[in-house]
Amino acid sequence: MKNKEPIILLVVIFFTLVTYYLVEPFAHSQMHKHVESEGFEYADLPAMTKTGDAAKGQELVMNAGCAGCHSIEVAGMPAPMDAVMAAGAYGVNPPDLSNAGAVFDPKFLADLIKNPAHALKVEHKYDPAAGKMHPMVAFYGMGGDIDQEVADMVAYLQSIAVKKEELTPKVAFETACGRCHAVGYEEWTQIGEKPKFKHEKDSLAFDIKVIDYQDSLMKYMGKLPPDLSMYIRSRGEHYISTFVENPQNQLHGTAMPRVGVTPHSMEKVIEYLEDAGDTKRHEREAIGKNVMIYIIIFAIFALLWKKQVWRDLH
Amino acid sequence: MAHFTKATSVKDWLNQRLAVEKLEKVMASEYWIPKNINFLWAMGMVLVITFVLLLVSGIFLLMYYVPTTAEAFNSVNYTIMREVDFGWLWRHVHGVAASVVFLIIYIHMFTGIYYGSYKKGREMIWISGMLLFVAFSAEAFSGYMLPWGQMSYWAGMVITNLFSGGSLHADGLVEWIRGDYVPAQAFLGRFFMLHVLLIPVAILGLIGLHFGALRIPHVNNQDGEEIDFDAEAKKYLDGDKAGSKVMRFANDFMSKDMMVVGVYLVFFFYLVFYNYGFAMDPVNFDPADGLKTPTHIYPEWYFLWSYEILRPFNIDLGLILFAFAQVIFVLLPFLDRSPNAIPANRRGKAFAIWFWLMLANMIVLTAMGKLPPAGIFSQIGLVSAILFVVQWIALPFITAREKKV
């Protein structure tokens, strides 16, 4: 009798694949809007026309009053208030600027200095005409060419920041996301990494500070920004990076600002989230390969055994 | 009391007390299997292997899982996925096997329908198999609650709500099932118990019944041929292995079982390591939040077809048809009035069309069950759901007119 098994196998595979295609790729394409990355080019922001001078930039940063709100730890400038007080005053703790030059796009930084709500894409929340001002005061110039001055400040921030190759996932995440988002699985809170305390009292005191900070943040953002521990599994790399690139594209009207990271720092942020939510991915790949080799050898032996046993049956 | 003599060997000692030689014959070497069967007959062994994978991986997960609403999510996603050595591996094996086991069950089921393996004395095989399907469904659903993610919580909410019976408003029954007004600690605790104790015990018992039911009518074959097992077994034992229509279960058919298992495991571990996303819904990696309903709530893929029979209608009719869909497969041996127990394609046009249409329609229902119920999808879903019901109602009439082939 003709062997029908190949055709039966094809029928089984065909119906399995059709079902898989319909419930996975097709259904998800219908359920979720697909947003393409724009390559982190921030095409809506004006290009920088001036070449900055870091030394002049340093002077400008000192004189423009940046340090009234921001710390620049690498330049020996501490924060004027602690994180909890700062959040009470501004809604969120103003970032330390030590590595801003490495994490954020220069074009974005320049626009941010001149017009924060525009660069951050939160103009739907802050309308000066209606008396709703963004907590960061815009820089109106020190009397010279404002574009030159801004370019100088950006050059200064770049000069003090960590080198691109030395930017760690942790620093990228903390600078870009860490003042609003906790990552419980990495012990990260909005006011910094939770230290190991010897006494429970100290641990509870720290937790209370976090809660105070979160209360201010909740008022500022409308709701508490989510803990990102498992976001790499619940949202996936593509969603996260297109969301960060322009939150309004994925979720129109969201209070989350555009963060303005460079593509390189985005990769680092993703790596941080993978370390938190997909910790064992390297082990999975290594073991996966070995298991596949083992199981293929098993299948070959099983096939040979069957051939041997069935030789007498025909 | 039986008469015991001094044992001549360990085997003899065991033989006198446990009849191991006889047992081996009954279970393996003289358990006769027809030769004209194809690889679809190995799905039983594939299911056994998958069940063992679920059991073993489940035992490892059980050592670290914490069944409390406060700790469940973290015990899975932090403790098991990050802290415990190979915890991630056991979880991925468990999650993928829980999904793949249903693929194999459906293949096994449609194999049975196609070859008429529920007829002529094989009714109990079919019925015990369908009871296993119900038990596996309950096991899958209760297990899905345990990571206490958004999908666990909201699927638990939606499915337990079905027991209110639509216009009957049996809300007391729903509260009794949940042990609370909403899914909470009492709910998680009892589904944990069901998942790790009561349902697995039921499954083990039903597997015994399913195997036992196979013993007297024997395995069907791909031509629906009636075989005189005693005569053919004698031929085999007399040395005419090639001429006999039957073979031993072990090692003859088992070697083929293992060959199929080998190929299956290559596919299975490919999914475990490289394509596990389909079995672990992204939404369930958000912790359960009773104040935030997910945009799309859908069951796992293997429940989608029956979910879609519920969805297009008003709640009362939907529930009635949903209940219909749950029990109707069990009644298949009695709804099929045909005298033929041969492959669907040889039973005449009507049943052949019925079979392939049922298969295709269930795939359509599965797809529509996941897609958002809007526009063309809800219309396709409605037509498919009606078609499903009509096909089952038509079955006795179609098959009664079938001529003996």
Side-chain angles (χ1 to χ4, degrees):
Chain A
M1 204 187 83
K2 213 173 117 246
N3 184 8
K4 280 191 177 165
E5 288 192 310
I7 185 101
I8 296 170
L9 183 61
L10 283 179
V11 170
V12 172
I13 291 173
F14 171 76
F15 283 113
T16 306
L17 287 181
V18 168
T19 310
Y20 174 78
Y21 168 77
L22 289 172
V23 297
E24 279 297 309
F26 179 69
H28 287 286
S29 77
Q30 296 296 313
M31 283 191 285
H32 312 292
K33 165 169 105 164
H34 184 75
V35 175
E36 251 334 303
S37 169
E38 291 151 8
F40 293 88
E41 284 178 0
Y42 307 113
D44 60 310
L45 298 177
M48 289 181 74
T49 49
K50 302 280 160 42
T51 313
D53 176 336
K56 284 189 190 150
Q58 180 172 16
E59 217 170 293
L60 281 161
V61 166
M62 300 303 151
N63 297 335
C66 302
C69 301
H70 293 280
S71 61
I72 310 180
E73 304 259 334
V74 285
M77 280 187 265
M81 316 181 220
D82 76 0
V84 179
M85 265 176 76
Y90 307 114
V92 64
N93 185 21
D96 176 72
L97 300 180
S98 303
N99 291 310
V103 172
F104 303 114
D105 180 86
K107 219 163 65 166
F108 171 82
L109 281 174
D111 195 57
L112 180 75
I113 293 168
K114 286 197 291 188
N115 188 354
H118 178 260
L120 295 165
K121 279 196 178 281
V122 284
E123 284 171 311
H124 56 293
K125 270 179 73 185
Y126 301 103
D127 180 7
K132 288 188 199 152
M133 302 297 290
H134 190 275
M136 172 167 162
V137 182
F139 173 67
Y140 293 109
M142 297 290 282
D145 175 1
I146 188 170
D147 287 331
Q148 183 59 54
E149 287 171 355
V150 167
D152 292 344
M153 289 157 95
V154 172
Y156 168 66
L157 291 177
Q158 287 179 320
S159 74
I160 57 170
V162 68
K163 297 255 174 326
K164 188 181 172 190
E165 314 74 68
E166 288 159 13
L167 180 68
T168 60
K170 193 159 181 277
V171 167
F173 179 84
E174 289 173 12
T175 308
C177 326
R179 288 167 303 116
C180 290
H181 294 283
V183 181
Y185 290 0
E186 294 284 308
E187 304 288 338
W188 177 258
T189 77
Q190 286 92 346
I191 62 171
E193 201 168 300
K194 183 172 179 179
K196 293 255 175 286
F197 290 106
K198 215 168 149 194
H199 301 292
E200 184 163 16
K201 206 176 135 193
D202 299 329
S203 171
L204 291 172
F206 184 89
D207 292 346
I208 288 173
K209 277 208 232 166
V210 174
I211 291 171
D212 282 340
Y213 184 97
Q214 289 179 342
D215 284 345
S216 306
L217 186 59
M218 223 183 299
K219 261 186 236 141
Y220 178 62
M221 296 300 286
K223 69 189 263 283
L224 185 67
D227 183 298
L228 300 182
S229 297
M230 290 308 292
Y231 258 49
I232 200 71
R233 293 295 296 262
S234 69
R235 302 299 189 281
E237 183 190 335
H238 180 81
Y239 181 88
I240 297 170
S241 56
T242 48
F243 199 112
V244 171
E245 184 176 18
N246 184 355
Q248 302 300 326
N249 275 352
Q250 290 277 17
L251 191 61
H252 187 70
T254 180
M256 170 158 159
R258 170 160 71 179
V259 185
V261 289
T262 65
H264 179 70
S265 1
M266 189 66 234
E267 277 169 34
K268 292 290 162 185
V269 168
I270 292 290
E271 196 180 327
Y272 179 84
L273 292 175
E274 284 175 338
D275 288 342
D278 194 10
T279 323
K280 301 296 175 74
R281 61 195 183 284
H282 303 302
E283 197 175 284
R284 184 172 67 232
E285 276 153 32
I287 290 177
K289 212 171 79 191
N290 290 338
V291 169
M292 291 312 286
I293 293 169
Y294 174 84
I295 215 73
I296 287 169
I297 293 171
F298 172 84
I300 292 169
F301 273 105
L303 178 78
L304 294 174
W305 185 43
K306 188 257 171 185
K307 278 210 167 343
Q308 187 210 16
V309 170
W310 282 54
R311 204 172 293 140
D312 306 333
L313 294 175
H314 293 301
Chain B
M1 197 177 135
H3 181 65
F4 288 89
T5 55
K6 188 170 167 47
T8 54
S9 64
V10 175
K11 195 177 173 190
D12 181 45
W13 190 90
L14 284 171
N15 244 339
Q16 289 190 44
R17 286 155 183 84
L18 293 174
V20 284
E21 264 179 355
K22 182 136 189 260
L23 194 71
E24 192 274 333
K25 276 187 185 169
V26 171
M27 302 292 281
S29 63
E30 292 185 17
Y31 181 10
W32 301 104
I33 309 287
K35 271 188 196 168
N36 54 338
I37 60 182
N38 57 53
F39 76 89
L40 290 172
W41 269 257
M43 291 304 136
M45 183 63 90
V46 170
L47 282 170
V48 168
I49 297 287
T50 313
F51 182 68
V52 169
L53 282 166
L54 282 164
L55 194 65
V56 171
S57 57
I59 287 169
F60 280 101
L61 294 174
L62 186 51
M63 293 186 211
Y64 290 94
Y65 175 72
V66 181
T68 66
T69 50
E71 282 305 312
F73 185 85
N74 292 334
S75 73
V76 173
N77 288 303
Y78 186 79
T79 312
I80 291 172
M81 292 300 280
R82 282 184 56 143
E83 298 288 287
V84 178
D85 276 348
F86 301 108
W88 60 271
L89 178 60
W90 293 119
R91 186 185 181 199
H92 278 199
V93 165
H94 202 70
V96 170
S99 201
V100 170
V101 82
F102 277 92
L103 172 67
I104 308 298
I105 286 175
Y106 284 126
I107 294 173
H108 198 53
M109 243 171 90
F110 274 96
T111 302
I113 302 176
Y114 182 84
Y115 292 103
S117 304
Y118 49 88
K119 296 165 74 80
K120 290 196 175 162
R122 297 198 177 91
E123 292 83 355
M124 275 315 294
I125 306 176
W126 177 263
I127 291 168
S128 59
M130 285 315 298
L131 291 177
L132 269 171
F133 177 77
V134 173
F136 266 89
S137 299
E139 181 70 356
F141 175 72
S142 57
Y144 200 61
M145 299 298 106
L146 302 189
W148 209 241
Q150 273 289 69
M151 258 331 183
S152 304
Y153 183 91
W154 289 99
M157 181 79 98
V158 171
I159 299 301
T160 48
N161 253 341
L162 296 181
F163 289 90
S164 70
S167 296
L168 293 177
H169 286 295
D171 299 330
L173 179 62
V174 176
E175 279 160 31
W176 180 74
I177 291 169
R178 291 179 185 162
D180 203 336
Y181 299 109
V182 289
Q185 183 57 51
F187 176 92
L188 181 61
R190 61 189 58 184
F191 276 92
F192 172 66
M193 179 284 291
L194 288 172
H195 187 72
V196 304
L197 180 68
L198 193 55
I199 304 172
V201 168
I203 287 177
L204 288 171
L206 285 169
I207 290 175
L209 176 64
H210 196 52
F211 285 1
L214 206 58
R215 175 59 59 164
I216 292 165
H218 279 95
V219 178
N220 191 16
N221 56 72
Q222 64 178 350
D223 301 306
E225 185 185 350
E226 267 187 55
I227 294 171
D228 182 345
F229 279 86
D230 293 332
E232 296 299 329
K234 190 171 179 307
K235 215 182 205 177
Y236 184 103
L237 289 173
D238 290 345
D240 187 9
K241 276 177 152 190
S244 173
K245 286 182 174 173
V246 299
M247 58 185 159
R248 300 180 195 273
F249 169 67
N251 294 334
D252 296 351
F253 189 64
M254 208 172 73
S255 68
K256 181 156 181 175
D257 264 346
M258 282 301 134
M259 179 185 89
V260 177
V261 165
V263 175
Y264 163 73
L265 288 179
V266 172
F267 164 70
F268 176 78
F269 283 110
Y270 156 75
L271 294 177
V272 167
F273 291 105
Y274 303 104
N275 202 350
Y276 45 79
F278 77 99
M280 319 192 89
D281 200 282
V283 182
N284 222 22
F285 286 96
D286 278 341
D289 182 350
L291 299 174
K292 205 169 96 187
T293 318
T295 323
H296 304 284
I297 304 177
Y298 43 81
E300 286 291 272
W301 71 268
Y302 37 85
F303 294 140
L304 287 169
W305 67 269
S306 55
Y307 184 60
E308 185 59 20
I309 287 170
L310 170 83
R311 213 164 57 157
F313 306 99
N314 72 46
I315 181 71
D316 292 324
L317 183 59
L319 277 174
I320 291 167
L321 296 180
F322 181 71
F324 173 84
Q326 300 310 308
V327 297
I328 199 67
F329 274 94
V330 185
L331 302 177
L332 176 61
F334 312 105
L335 295 174
D336 183 348
R337 314 297 306 162
S338 153
N340 299 313
I342 52 172
N345 279 0
R346 294 184 218 163
R347 280 172 58 174
K349 269 221 173 69
F351 187 75
I353 292 172
W354 188 92
F355 173 83
W356 292 106
L357 192 60
M358 178 57 71
L359 176 57
N361 193 35
M362 281 180 71
I363 291 175
V364 172
L365 283 168
T366 300
M368 297 308 136
K370 185 146 182 183
L371 289 160
I376 185 80
F377 299 136
S378 62
Q379 283 155 24
I380 297 174
L382 177 67
V383 172
S384 287
I386 294 170
L387 179 62
F388 178 87
V389 176
V390 168
Q391 269 201 282
W392 279 103
I393 293 172
L395 183 64
F397 304 104
I398 291 174
T399 48
R401 293 167 57 120
E402 210 171 274
K403 289 189 188 66
K404 177 102 182 99
V405 183

